[in-house]
Amino acid sequence: MADTISGFVDHIIYRNEENGYTVLVLSTDGEETTCVGTFRYMVRGEMIEAQGHYTRHAVYGKQFQIESFQIKAPEDTKAMERYLGSGAIKGVGASLASRIVKCFGEDTIRVLEEEPERLSEVKGISQRMAREIALQVEEKTDMRKAMIFLQKYGISLNLGAKIYKQYGQELYQMLRENPYQMAEDIPGVGFRIADEIAGRIGIRPDSGYRIKSGLLYVLLLASGQGHVYLPRQELFRQAATLLQAEEEILEKYLMDLAIERKAVVKNLESGPVVYGNRLYHLELDTARLLWELNVQFPHDPIQTEEQIRRMEKKEQIQLDECQRAAVREAAGHGLFILTGGPGTGKTTTINALLHYFEGENLQIRLAAPTGRAANRMTEASGYEAQTIHRLLELSSALEEQASVVQFERNAQNPLEADVVIIDEMSMVDIYLMHALLSAIGPGTRLILVGDVDQLPSVGPGNVLRDMIDARAFPVIELKRIFRQASQSDIIVNAHKINRGEQVAVNNRSRDFFFLERREAVLVLRVVIALIQEKLPRYIQADPMDIQVLTPMRKGVLGVEQLNPFLQKYMNPPSPSKKEKEYGHTLYRQGDKVMQIKNNYQLPWEVRGKFGIAVDKGMGVFNGDIGTVREINEFAGLLTVEYDQSRYVDYSFKQLDELELAYAVTIHKSQGSEYPAVVIPLLGGPQMLMNRNLLYTAVTRARKCVAIVGSEGTFQHMIANKRELERYSALNIWIQELGNARGEFGEKGS
């Protein structure tokens, strides 16, 4: 027979927001009882009557396992006083709760709900405070009812709280009429979640709301794959599959979205295309901002040549003709693009530009898309470089769950600089490019540096390639491989791969190795041996700094299976290492982990001696790699140390933003450089196994590349030029605006 206990919730120890599993302390007749169970809704101060049975946990001792419960109104004055003084009502502590109950006695709850203005009769409570207390009591009652209602449709506590915060008492009407509105209004609620809820509520599959939401969802998915728009027929094809609807009926709803200014339909040479409203205006405005920067600076060519010669002599560097041309173009233009592969002298050219502009007494700022790329820029130039987000001063005043990134530096508050140089431009997506251009004031030179043959950005757009393809702005491409670089087979073979030439795999190289293995189990054995034994000794590097790069996420040699395998060898379990299991991943102290989404609200701090914070900031970004330093079960926190000693505390419910990073996809490695990379290759999807991907992987290594697997796959990737087509049109808008302004000219080289 079940036991019954009654009391009020003194405090909550742990709650899983997704399934409602909760550990709480119930105060019962002056004693505290630890209770566990699944609750649709529960807050501190609630009075409950619970049925269940006592159990004994091996670690935590005696507990009450709740099987069912009822929320009760406080039954006597003592219970009312406990409820009000528990902290459930903000601003009411134990002392004030005692005075309220003393004043109204057993009529307290009725007064709170029906005559809240009478609270001002209590000493220390003004009429304003009385209204605030009453509003809180009403809010808690309304929220409890809403959460219980939402639970009937399988909506988790976490999502239910977001829905209630967004809509309040209007949530009932929203759910009846258009639950798809949630996909637009609430971050983290996509079409699929809204569709699932709508199905439970009984919304028809052919609802106009559903079809419009599905079309927008397909465009959103496309942006996640790097596209700025989709051809109309491709949009209809994907939406018809998603919605199980006929393509013919989609046209009407697409027009509705265009009228509502949620989508934009344009006719390009390739045919009609569809943008999400925001991305269309971002791409168009980026073209406008680029043209506004594309001004000529008056300068004397003879004097410029003389300054270059003096700078070469002073800095003891020798530029070739392309590098000199780069300095000339940068000196004479507000916008300049420098591109080239590894070993072609981009770093030397950047340093020459720095010395040249320093000689002109100009203020220079350097930045790159990632912390690692910025660190490399600093090491190579001796000048401080930042991430673009830090350069633009990512706002720390973002609203919770804000979906639009805000920067302190913008059109109203531009960067204070004469010259801004951005490296690793292939990684910059249309969002970040627009934010950067908005913060570049008139009279500031912008110099963009990158390897156009690298993989494009993870985010939407193909900014660097589109700018070059537009042939509207000054571009210098460095092609000559310098003598020192030509002694590295990593660089020589990278250029061969990029040109589609076969690469010798005879292992006579000192820094480029190919180890033929035909079976996955043998590939895995070799990968472990290389990381743990061979390469650390050969290149004098820590095993944790050697990176496994793989083309794919799925499969035996994909990220999802490689990481737990590598974790077992690289960071084995130990009594001294704490662990935390989340989803399908086990995190352990010492693990190498990666942030897998941009989180602009996540705070970090640089900790000095004794763990004291010496610098603070906001934002951890997709692709950042760090090390798990601490797991605190009591506080529910996992601490990761990133580059530049930045420490970030993740609550356990935020661990879906992390994954193990012993192996990462080649896409995720963009902008990073490692002492050595190990690339397992046996096969994979045709569109992934291409030249562009292999080229990017090889160029991530400083000292050594080791490829393990099938030579046939390796040579096939070199021959395969096909890339996943990326839908973007920045080059078209650049050309159209240039023609309209009468400014377009053949300025590319």
Side-chain angles (χ1 to χ4, degrees):
M1 186 172 175
D3 295 310
T4 299
I5 60 172
S6 298
F8 73 92
V9 179
D10 186 85
H11 62 278
I12 292 173
I13 298 172
Y14 170 79
R15 164 177 281 156
N16 183 317
E17 298 289 355
E18 290 304 315
N19 59 26
Y21 178 77
T22 305
V23 181
L24 57 83
V25 172
L26 198 69
S27 182
T28 57
D29 299 324
E31 294 184 1
E32 292 188 345
T33 304
T34 301
C35 299
V36 295
T38 299
F39 304 99
R40 290 176 293 185
Y41 179 72
M42 186 66 67
V43 293
R44 183 182 175 190
E46 292 280 17
M47 297 291 301
I48 67 169
E49 181 178 277
Q51 295 77 41
H53 60 277
Y54 288 96
T55 62
R56 181 163 293 278
H57 191 278
V59 176
Y60 302 111
K62 188 179 179 182
Q63 297 179 338
F64 189 78
Q65 181 77 45
I66 295 178
E67 295 166 356
S68 63
F69 73 98
Q70 301 81 40
I71 293 175
K72 313 279 283 184
E75 294 175 346
D76 53 35
T77 55
K78 189 176 180 182
M80 289 176 198
E81 189 176 326
R82 281 177 179 167
Y83 172 69
L84 291 174
S86 68
I89 308 297
K90 189 178 177 183
V92 179
S95 175
L96 186 54
S98 176
R99 293 204 300 276
I100 292 171
V101 172
K102 189 173 182 181
C103 181
F104 299 111
E106 295 189 3
D107 209 23
T108 300
I109 293 298
R110 189 196 64 78
V111 168
L112 283 168
E113 292 179 348
E114 298 176 15
E115 300 179 274
E117 68 279 357
R118 288 188 58 197
L119 287 172
S120 59
E121 297 173 18
V122 179
K123 185 180 179 182
I125 299 182
S126 64
Q127 286 191 343
R128 178 184 169 188
M129 188 176 181
R131 285 194 299 272
E132 288 176 354
I133 292 171
L135 283 172
Q136 284 189 67
V137 171
E138 184 181 4
E139 169 85 3
K140 287 185 177 297
T141 303
D142 289 345
M143 187 172 184
R144 183 193 301 125
K145 289 177 182 175
M147 299 297 275
I148 292 170
F149 172 79
L150 293 171
Q151 279 281 302
K152 290 194 297 186
Y153 297 107
I155 297 171
S156 70
L157 290 169
N158 195 27
L159 178 55
K162 289 180 184 178
I163 294 171
Y164 185 80
K165 183 178 179 182
Q166 178 72 32
Y167 302 108
Q169 290 299 97
E170 294 176 7
L171 72 87
Y172 303 100
Q173 183 179 352
M174 178 275 297
L175 286 171
R176 279 196 306 271
E177 295 179 0
N178 179 20
Y180 297 96
Q181 189 66 36
M182 290 186 292
E184 295 182 43
D185 294 342
I186 303 175
V189 179
F191 170 81
R192 290 193 183 280
I193 291 175
D195 198 37
E196 194 176 322
I197 293 168
R200 291 180 191 143
I201 290 170
I203 301 293
R204 288 170 56 88
D206 60 354
S207 158
Y209 290 125
R210 180 174 186 265
I211 292 172
K212 287 191 289 184
S213 183
L215 286 165
L216 291 175
Y217 177 66
V218 171
L219 288 175
L220 180 67
L221 284 181
S223 71
Q225 294 162 354
H227 304 301
V228 181
Y229 66 80
L230 279 180
R232 186 172 61 183
Q233 283 311 116
E234 179 63 19
L235 170 65
F236 285 175
R237 185 187 66 77
Q238 292 186 31
T241 302
L242 173 74
L243 299 165
Q244 296 297 294
E246 297 297 324
E247 290 188 25
E248 293 72 35
I249 70 168
L250 300 179
E251 184 72 48
K252 172 191 179 303
Y253 293 107
L254 176 59
M255 289 305 103
D256 288 347
L257 288 172
I259 292 166
E260 294 166 15
R261 297 190 176 183
K262 293 178 179 176
V264 177
V265 182
K266 301 298 289 185
N267 282 306
L268 303 182
E269 282 186 17
S270 58
V273 303
V274 184
Y275 283 86
N277 190 59
R278 184 179 173 219
L279 276 172
Y280 169 71
H281 287 101
L282 273 178
E283 198 171 58
L284 196 62
D285 203 45
T286 296
R288 176 187 67 80
L289 291 168
L290 286 167
W291 272 116
E292 289 184 0
L293 280 179
N294 189 44
V295 298
Q296 292 203 348
F297 282 81
H299 69 110
D300 183 338
I302 297 173
Q303 188 178 342
T304 300
E305 288 296 336
E306 181 56 35
Q307 283 178 265
I308 293 172
R309 279 195 293 272
R310 284 201 303 269
M311 179 267 296
E312 285 181 294
K313 186 175 180 181
K314 180 184 175 186
E315 302 300 331
Q316 296 184 323
I317 57 176
Q318 183 65 46
L319 304 179
D320 71 3
E321 183 46 43
C322 270
Q323 292 172 315
R324 282 195 197 90
V327 179
R328 287 195 298 269
E329 294 284 1
H333 293 89
L335 177 64
F336 168 63
I337 301 166
L338 177 69
T339 185
T344 56
K346 290 196 301 294
T347 299
T348 300
T349 309
I350 290 173
N351 288 337
L353 291 167
L354 289 169
H355 296 310
Y356 177 87
F357 288 122
E358 194 177 44
E360 295 276 286
N361 295 316
L362 299 181
Q363 186 179 355
I364 307 164
R365 302 290 295 274
L366 306 182
T370 66
R372 287 186 174 223
N375 290 346
R376 289 208 321 275
M377 209 176 179
T378 299
E379 291 165 5
S381 67
Y383 286 73
E384 183 191 0
Q386 302 169 284
T387 63
I388 300 173
H389 288 86
R390 281 205 97 179
L391 176 75
L392 299 180
E393 298 174 20
L394 180 68
S395 174
S396 59
L398 291 171
E399 293 182 15
E400 188 183 353
Q401 300 295 342
S403 58
V404 179
V405 184
Q406 300 171 36
F407 295 102
E408 298 293 342
R409 294 292 180 177
N410 48 44
Q412 288 70 46
N413 181 28
L415 289 164
E416 296 167 5
D418 300 306
V419 181
V420 176
I421 302 177
I422 307 294
D423 198 8
E424 294 285 359
M425 264 300 298
S426 63
M427 295 182 65
V428 176
D429 64 23
I430 195 69
Y431 293 120
L432 194 54
M433 187 64 181
H434 185 266
L436 174 67
L437 293 173
S438 299
I440 304 289
T444 299
R445 290 177 173 86
L446 178 62
I447 298 168
L448 306 174
V449 184
D451 183 350
V452 75
D453 293 315
Q454 296 282 2
L455 290 168
S457 57
V458 174
N462 209 350
V463 174
L464 181 62
R465 184 177 292 279
D466 280 354
M467 287 178 64
I468 293 172
D469 287 350
R471 299 187 62 79
F473 311 122
V475 178
I476 293 291
E477 181 181 4
L478 303 177
K479 295 180 178 178
R480 175 188 165 198
I481 303 177
F482 283 85
R483 186 173 60 84
Q484 186 176 359
S486 68
Q487 295 170 0
S488 163
D489 285 323
I490 294 174
I491 289 172
V492 170
N493 288 341
H495 283 274
K496 283 184 176 181
I497 290 167
N498 200 33
R499 292 192 298 265
E501 299 172 8
Q502 295 295 290
V503 172
V505 290
N506 53 25
N507 286 338
R508 293 175 185 166
S509 169
R510 291 177 299 175
D511 60 7
F512 193 99
F513 303 100
F514 191 97
L515 303 169
E516 175 87 17
R517 298 293 186 276
R518 302 275 179 96
E519 296 176 27
V521 66
L522 299 178
V523 170
L524 292 172
R525 281 185 202 164
V526 173
V527 167
I528 284 295
L530 285 169
I531 297 172
Q532 287 193 305
E533 304 165 22
K534 310 285 187 187
L535 290 176
R537 291 200 303 266
Y538 185 66
I539 60 169
Q540 301 299 301
D542 188 293
M544 283 290 193
D545 292 332
I546 297 166
Q547 188 62 54
V548 176
L549 301 180
T550 176
M552 65 208 99
R553 292 196 60 82
K554 306 287 185 183
V556 180
L557 298 181
V559 162
E560 292 176 4
Q561 293 202 41
L562 276 173
N563 268 315
F565 173 80
L566 293 168
Q567 180 192 42
K568 186 168 63 174
Y569 290 92
M570 303 286 290
N571 187 30
S574 161
S576 64
K577 297 175 187 174
K578 293 180 182 176
E579 297 179 348
K580 172 63 183 175
E581 190 167 2
Y582 182 88
H584 299 296
T585 304
L586 177 70
Y587 296 99
R588 183 177 295 135
Q589 277 181 289
D591 272 341
K592 190 174 177 179
V593 292
M594 174 186 279
Q595 174 81 11
I596 58 171
K597 62 185 281 191
N598 289 335
N599 186 331
Y600 302 100
Q601 289 101 36
L602 199 55
W604 53 261
E605 62 182 29
V606 176
R607 297 175 185 172
K609 202 171 182 182
F610 308 117
I612 297 171
V614 295
D615 189 15
K616 293 184 178 182
M618 300 283 284
V620 184
F621 306 110
N622 192 354
D624 285 355
I625 289 181
T627 304
V628 176
R629 294 300 183 203
E630 188 179 352
I631 297 174
N632 187 329
E633 282 282 356
F634 181 77
L637 294 175
L638 181 146
T639 303
V640 177
E641 181 185 3
Y642 289 103
D643 288 334
Q644 300 170 313
S645 300
R646 292 177 302 136
Y647 284 81
V648 177
D649 290 330
Y650 292 83
S651 68
F652 286 164
K653 67 181 180 182
Q654 289 176 304
L655 294 183
D656 59 347
E657 297 188 17
L658 290 175
E659 68 181 20
L660 296 176
Y662 298 101
V664 303
T665 62
I666 297 167
H667 274 94
K668 291 281 191 183
S669 73
Q670 285 174 271
S672 296
E673 198 174 74
Y674 312 97
V677 299
V678 178
I679 309 169
L681 286 181
L682 272 184
Q686 175 77 3
M687 292 305 294
L688 274 182
M689 309 301 283
N690 61 37
R691 181 186 302 173
N692 190 215
L693 202 74
L694 184 59
Y695 172 75
T696 299
V698 168
T699 54
R700 299 305 90 206
R702 280 198 305 273
K703 296 181 179 179
C704 185
V705 170
I707 300 173
V708 187
S710 158
E711 183 184 347
T713 299
F714 174 64
Q715 302 294 5
H716 168 77
M717 287 182 77
I718 296 172
N720 182 14
K721 302 202 301 193
R722 290 180 63 202
E723 297 174 31
L724 288 168
E725 185 173 5
R726 180 166 283 216
Y727 297 116
S728 65
L730 180 60
N731 57 330
I732 294 170
W733 308 132
I734 289 170
Q735 291 170 341
E736 285 199 1
L737 281 175
N739 287 328
R741 295 161 66 110
E743 295 183 19
F744 192 85
E746 288 290 320
K747 296 182 183 177
S749 67

Coordinates of all heavy atoms in Angstrom, one line a residue, residues 614-661:
V614 N 40.2 38.0 -15.0 CA 40.9 39.2 -15.4 C 40.4 39.8 -16.6 O 40.7 40.9 -17.0 CB 42.4 38.9 -15.5 CG1 43.1 38.5 -14.2 CG2 42.7 37.8 -16.6
D615 N 39.5 39.1 -17.3 CA 38.8 39.6 -18.5 C 37.5 38.8 -18.7 O 37.4 37.7 -18.3 CB 39.7 39.5 -19.7 CG 39.2 40.2 -20.9 OD1 38.3 41.0 -20.8 OD2 39.6 39.9 -22.1
K616 N 36.5 39.5 -19.2 CA 35.2 38.8 -19.4 C 34.7 39.2 -20.8 O 35.0 40.3 -21.3 CB 34.2 39.3 -18.3 CG 34.6 38.7 -16.9 CD 33.5 39.1 -15.9 CE 33.8 38.5 -14.6 NZ 32.7 38.8 -13.6
G617 N 33.8 38.4 -21.3 CA 33.2 38.7 -22.6 C 32.0 37.8 -22.8 O 31.6 36.9 -22.0
M618 N 31.4 37.9 -24.0 CA 30.2 37.1 -24.4 C 30.5 36.4 -25.7 O 31.2 37.0 -26.6 CB 29.0 38.0 -24.5 CG 28.6 38.8 -23.3 SD 27.8 37.8 -22.1 CE 26.1 37.6 -22.9
G619 N 29.9 35.2 -25.9 CA 29.9 34.6 -27.1 C 30.9 33.5 -27.3 O 32.1 33.7 -27.1
V620 N 30.4 32.3 -27.6 CA 31.3 31.1 -27.9 C 30.7 30.6 -29.3 O 29.5 30.5 -29.4 CB 31.2 30.0 -26.9 CG1 32.2 28.9 -27.3 CG2 31.6 30.6 -25.5
F621 N 31.6 30.3 -30.2 CA 31.1 30.1 -31.6 C 31.3 28.7 -32.2 O 32.2 28.0 -31.7 CB 31.8 31.2 -32.5 CG 31.6 32.6 -31.9 CD1 32.6 33.3 -31.4 CD2 30.3 33.1 -31.9 CE1 32.4 34.5 -30.8 CE2 30.1 34.4 -31.4 CZ 31.2 35.1 -30.8
N622 N 30.5 28.4 -33.1 CA 30.5 27.1 -33.8 C 32.0 26.8 -34.3 O 32.6 27.6 -35.0 CB 29.6 27.3 -35.1 CG 29.3 25.9 -35.7 OD1 29.9 24.9 -35.4 ND2 28.4 25.9 -36.7
G623 N 32.5 25.7 -33.9 CA 33.9 25.3 -34.3 C 34.9 25.6 -33.2 O 36.1 25.1 -33.3
D624 N 34.6 26.3 -32.1 CA 35.6 26.6 -31.1 C 35.9 25.2 -30.4 O 35.0 24.5 -30.0 CB 35.1 27.6 -30.1 CG 35.1 29.0 -30.6 OD1 35.6 29.2 -31.7 OD2 34.6 29.9 -29.9
I625 N 37.2 24.9 -30.2 CA 37.6 23.7 -29.5 C 38.2 24.0 -28.2 O 39.1 24.9 -28.1 CB 38.6 22.9 -30.4 CG1 37.8 22.3 -31.6 CG2 39.2 21.8 -29.6 CD1 38.7 21.5 -32.5
G626 N 37.9 23.2 -27.1 CA 38.4 23.4 -25.8 C 38.6 22.1 -25.1 O 38.4 21.0 -25.6
T627 N 38.9 22.2 -23.8 CA 39.1 21.0 -22.9 C 38.2 21.1 -21.7 O 38.1 22.2 -21.1 CB 40.6 21.0 -22.5 OG1 41.4 21.0 -23.6 CG2 40.8 19.7 -21.7
V628 N 37.6 20.0 -21.4 CA 36.7 19.9 -20.2 C 37.6 20.0 -18.9 O 38.5 19.1 -18.8 CB 35.9 18.7 -20.1 CG1 35.1 18.6 -18.8 CG2 34.9 18.6 -21.3
R629 N 37.5 21.0 -18.1 CA 38.4 21.2 -16.9 C 37.7 20.7 -15.7 O 38.4 20.3 -14.7 CB 38.8 22.6 -16.8 CG 39.7 23.1 -17.9 CD 41.0 22.3 -18.0 NE 41.9 22.8 -19.0 CZ 42.8 22.1 -19.6 NH1 43.0 20.8 -19.2 NH2 43.6 22.6 -20.5
E630 N 36.4 20.8 -15.6 CA 35.7 20.5 -14.3 C 34.3 20.1 -14.6 O 33.6 20.6 -15.5 CB 35.7 21.7 -13.4 CG 35.2 21.4 -12.0 CD 35.2 22.6 -11.1 OE1 35.7 23.7 -11.5 OE2 34.6 22.5 -10.0
I631 N 33.8 19.1 -13.8 CA 32.4 18.7 -13.9 C 31.9 18.8 -12.4 O 32.4 18.1 -11.5 CB 32.2 17.3 -14.4 CG1 32.6 17.2 -15.9 CG2 30.7 16.8 -14.3 CD1 32.7 15.9 -16.5
N632 N 30.9 19.7 -12.2 CA 30.4 19.9 -10.8 C 28.9 19.4 -10.8 O 28.0 20.1 -11.2 CB 30.5 21.4 -10.5 CG 30.1 21.7 -9.1 OD1 29.3 21.0 -8.5 ND2 30.7 22.7 -8.5
E633 N 28.7 18.2 -10.3 CA 27.4 17.6 -10.2 C 26.5 18.5 -9.3 O 25.3 18.6 -9.6 CB 27.4 16.2 -9.7 CG 27.9 15.2 -10.7 CD 26.8 14.8 -11.7 OE1 25.6 15.3 -11.5 OE2 27.0 14.1 -12.6
F634 N 27.0 19.0 -8.2 CA 26.2 19.7 -7.2 C 25.6 21.0 -7.9 O 24.5 21.3 -7.7 CB 27.0 20.1 -6.0 CG 26.2 20.8 -4.9 CD1 25.3 20.1 -4.1 CD2 26.4 22.2 -4.8 CE1 24.6 20.8 -3.2 CE2 25.7 22.9 -3.8 CZ 24.8 22.2 -3.0
A635 N 26.5 21.7 -8.6 CA 26.1 23.0 -9.2 C 25.5 22.7 -10.6 O 24.9 23.7 -11.1 CB 27.3 23.9 -9.3
G636 N 25.6 21.5 -11.1 CA 25.1 21.2 -12.4 C 25.8 21.9 -13.5 O 25.2 22.4 -14.5
L637 N 27.1 22.0 -13.4 CA 27.9 22.8 -14.4 C 29.1 21.9 -14.9 O 29.7 21.1 -14.2 CB 28.5 24.0 -13.7 CG 27.6 25.1 -13.3 CD1 28.3 26.2 -12.5 CD2 26.8 25.7 -14.4
L638 N 29.4 22.1 -16.2 CA 30.6 21.6 -16.8 C 31.4 22.7 -17.3 O 30.9 23.6 -18.1 CB 30.2 20.6 -17.9 CG 31.3 19.9 -18.7 CD1 30.9 18.5 -19.1 CD2 31.7 20.7 -20.0
T639 N 32.7 22.8 -17.0 CA 33.5 24.0 -17.3 C 34.5 23.6 -18.4 O 35.2 22.6 -18.3 CB 34.3 24.5 -16.1 OG1 33.4 24.8 -15.1 CG2 35.1 25.7 -16.4
V640 N 34.5 24.4 -19.5 CA 35.4 24.2 -20.6 C 36.4 25.3 -20.7 O 36.0 26.5 -20.6 CB 34.7 24.0 -21.9 CG1 35.6 23.9 -23.1 CG2 33.7 22.9 -21.9
E641 N 37.7 25.0 -21.0 CA 38.7 26.0 -21.2 C 39.0 26.1 -22.7 O 39.3 25.1 -23.3 CB 40.0 25.7 -20.5 CG 41.1 26.8 -20.7 CD 42.4 26.5 -20.1 OE1 42.6 25.4 -19.6 OE2 43.3 27.3 -20.2
Y642 N 38.8 27.3 -23.3 CA 39.0 27.5 -24.7 C 40.3 28.2 -24.9 O 41.0 28.5 -24.0 CB 37.8 28.3 -25.4 CG 36.6 27.5 -25.5 CD1 35.5 27.6 -24.6 CD2 36.4 26.5 -26.5 CE1 34.3 26.9 -24.8 CE2 35.3 25.8 -26.6 CZ 34.2 26.0 -25.8 OH 33.1 25.2 -25.9
D643 N 40.7 28.6 -26.2 CA 41.9 29.3 -26.5 C 41.9 30.6 -25.6 O 40.9 31.2 -25.3 CB 41.9 29.7 -28.0 CG 42.1 28.5 -28.9 OD1 42.8 27.6 -28.4 OD2 41.7 28.5 -30.0
Q644 N 43.2 31.1 -25.4 CA 43.4 32.3 -24.7 C 42.9 32.2 -23.2 O 42.5 33.2 -22.7 CB 42.8 33.5 -25.4 CG 43.4 33.7 -26.8 CD 42.6 34.7 -27.6 OE1 41.4 34.7 -27.7 NE2 43.4 35.6 -28.3
S645 N 42.9 31.0 -22.7 CA 42.5 30.7 -21.3 C 41.1 31.3 -21.0 O 40.8 31.7 -19.9 CB 43.5 31.4 -20.3 OG 44.7 30.8 -20.5
R646 N 40.2 31.2 -22.0 CA 38.8 31.6 -21.8 C 38.0 30.4 -21.2 O 37.9 29.3 -21.8 CB 38.1 32.0 -23.1 CG 38.6 33.3 -23.7 CD 38.0 33.6 -25.0 NE 38.1 32.5 -25.9 CZ 37.2 32.0 -26.7 NH1 35.9 32.5 -26.6 NH2 37.4 31.1 -27.6
Y647 N 37.4 30.6 -20.0 CA 36.7 29.6 -19.3 C 35.2 29.8 -19.5 O 34.7 30.9 -19.3 CB 37.0 29.5 -17.8 CG 38.4 28.9 -17.5 CD1 39.5 29.6 -17.6 CD2 38.5 27.6 -17.1 CE1 40.8 29.1 -17.4 CE2 39.7 27.0 -16.8 CZ 40.8 27.7 -17.0 OH 42.1 27.2 -16.7
V648 N 34.5 28.7 -19.8 CA 33.0 28.8 -20.0 C 32.3 27.8 -19.1 O 32.7 26.6 -19.2 CB 32.6 28.6 -21.5 CG1 31.1 28.7 -21.7 CG2 33.3 29.7 -22.4
D649 N 31.3 28.2 -18.4 CA 30.5 27.3 -17.6 C 29.2 26.9 -18.3 O 28.5 27.8 -18.6 CB 30.2 27.9 -16.2 CG 31.4 28.0 -15.3 OD1 32.3 27.2 -15.4 OD2 31.4 29.0 -14.5
Y650 N 29.0 25.6 -18.6 CA 27.8 25.2 -19.2 C 26.9 24.5 -18.2 O 27.4 23.6 -17.4 CB 28.1 24.1 -20.3 CG 28.9 24.6 -21.5 CD1 30.2 24.8 -21.5 CD2 28.2 24.9 -22.7 CE1 30.9 25.2 -22.6 CE2 28.8 25.4 -23.8 CZ 30.2 25.5 -23.8 OH 30.9 26.0 -24.9
S651 N 25.7 24.9 -18.1 CA 24.7 24.1 -17.3 C 24.5 22.8 -18.0 O 24.7 22.7 -19.2 CB 23.4 24.9 -17.1 OG 22.7 24.9 -18.3
F652 N 24.2 21.8 -17.3 CA 24.0 20.5 -17.9 C 23.0 20.5 -19.0 O 23.1 19.7 -20.0 CB 23.6 19.4 -16.8 CG 24.8 19.0 -15.9 CD1 24.5 18.4 -14.7 CD2 26.1 19.3 -16.2 CE1 25.6 18.0 -13.9 CE2 27.1 19.0 -15.4 CZ 26.9 18.3 -14.2
K653 N 22.0 21.3 -18.9 CA 21.0 21.3 -20.0 C 21.5 22.0 -21.2 O 20.8 22.0 -22.3 CB 19.7 21.9 -19.5 CG 19.7 23.4 -19.2 CD 18.3 23.9 -18.7 CE 18.3 25.4 -18.4 NZ 17.0 25.8 -17.8
Q654 N 22.7 22.7 -21.2 CA 23.3 23.3 -22.3 C 24.3 22.4 -23.0 O 24.9 22.8 -24.0 CB 24.1 24.6 -21.9 CG 23.2 25.7 -21.5 CD 24.0 26.9 -21.0 OE1 24.8 26.8 -20.1 NE2 23.8 28.1 -21.7
L655 N 24.4 21.2 -22.6 CA 25.4 20.3 -23.1 C 25.1 19.8 -24.6 O 26.0 19.2 -25.2 CB 25.6 19.1 -22.2 CG 26.3 19.4 -20.9 CD1 26.5 18.1 -20.1 CD2 27.6 20.2 -21.0
D656 N 23.9 20.1 -25.0 CA 23.6 19.8 -26.4 C 24.4 20.7 -27.4 O 24.4 20.5 -28.6 CB 22.1 19.9 -26.7 CG 21.5 21.2 -26.4 OD1 22.2 22.0 -25.7 OD2 20.4 21.5 -26.8
E657 N 25.0 21.8 -26.8 CA 25.8 22.7 -27.6 C 27.3 22.2 -27.8 O 28.1 22.8 -28.5 CB 25.8 24.1 -27.0 CG 24.5 24.7 -27.0 CD 24.5 26.2 -26.5 OE1 25.6 26.8 -26.5 OE2 23.5 26.7 -26.1
L658 N 27.6 21.1 -27.1 CA 29.0 20.5 -27.2 C 28.9 19.1 -27.8 O 28.0 18.4 -27.7 CB 29.6 20.4 -25.8 CG 29.9 21.7 -25.0 CD1 30.4 21.4 -23.6 CD2 31.0 22.5 -25.8
E659 N 30.1 18.8 -28.4 CA 30.3 17.4 -28.8 C 31.8 17.1 -28.6 O 32.7 18.0 -28.6 CB 29.8 17.1 -30.2 CG 30.6 17.7 -31.3 CD 30.0 17.4 -32.7 OE1 28.8 16.9 -32.7 OE2 30.7 17.5 -33.7
L660 N 32.2 15.8 -28.5 CA 33.6 15.4 -28.4 C 34.3 15.9 -29.7 O 33.7 15.9 -30.8 CB 33.7 13.9 -28.2 CG 33.1 13.4 -26.9 CD1 33.2 11.9 -26.9 CD2 33.8 14.0 -25.7
A661 N 35.6 16.2 -29.6 CA 36.3 16.8 -30.7 C 37.6 16.1 -31.0 O 38.5 16.7 -31.6 CB 36.5 18.3 -30.5

